[in-house]
Amino acid sequence: MPVELINPEGLPQPQGYAQVGVASGSRLVYVSGQVARTADGGRVGAGDLAAQTEQAYLNLATALAAAGATFADVAKLTVYVVDWSSERMPELVAGAMRAAERLGFDPVRPITLLGVTALGEPDLLVEVEAVAVLG
């Protein structure tokens, strides 16, 4: 596996993400932000952050697989959430965990969570992008 996760002493010891990902592979995979859309463009989870997060992670897994990668190869995630507040964390985590359970992966990765005013379409609540490293 080309990505080693580290939570060094001297930094907060997080639950649900890693502070550092050390990549030792040679092929980088950049996945565009994935949203709550089915393959045919259908909308998923209107107004439901957990449902939209689950679909975004499922789409991310599909995109990774197309490049020959899995979630274990992800070195960094960026998650954009519309109108973010800490009260929404349980919904966000629930959606990510449902996708992880469904597909059998560990969602813990280095991650940046950004609150945004809007995404590319008015009904979208979350977008997830990734950088993966293949050996």
Side-chain angles (χ1 to χ4, degrees):
M1 190 177 331
V3 179
E4 175 189 2
L5 301 177
I6 302 172
N7 285 308
E9 289 185 33
L11 291 178
Q13 299 299 299
Q15 293 184 350
Y17 70 95
Q19 293 284 12
V20 179
V22 179
S24 60
S26 59
R27 185 171 169 227
L28 297 177
V29 178
Y30 297 90
V31 180
S32 293
Q34 298 301 304
V35 297
R37 295 286 185 263
T38 60
D40 63 0
R43 293 183 162 112
V44 174
D48 183 338
L49 180 58
Q52 288 199 18
T53 301
E54 179 180 10
Q55 185 64 45
Y57 272 78
L58 294 174
N59 290 348
L60 178 60
T62 299
L64 289 166
T70 68
F71 209 85
D73 300 310
V74 171
K76 174 74 168 70
L77 290 171
T78 305
V79 178
Y80 304 89
V81 181
V82 174
D83 296 328
W84 175 254
S85 70
S86 60
E87 293 81 30
R88 301 186 81 189
M89 184 63 83
E91 295 173 85
L92 184 69
V93 169
M97 293 307 297
R98 287 197 313 236
E101 289 170 11
R102 207 165 141 184
L103 298 177
F105 66 81
D106 181 356
V108 173
R109 298 283 131 206
I111 185 170
T112 298
L113 174 62
L114 298 168
V116 297
T117 303
L119 293 169
E121 297 177 43
D123 66 308
L124 295 174
L125 300 175
V126 65
E127 187 167 335
V128 183
E129 65 183 23
V131 177
V133 180
L134 300 177

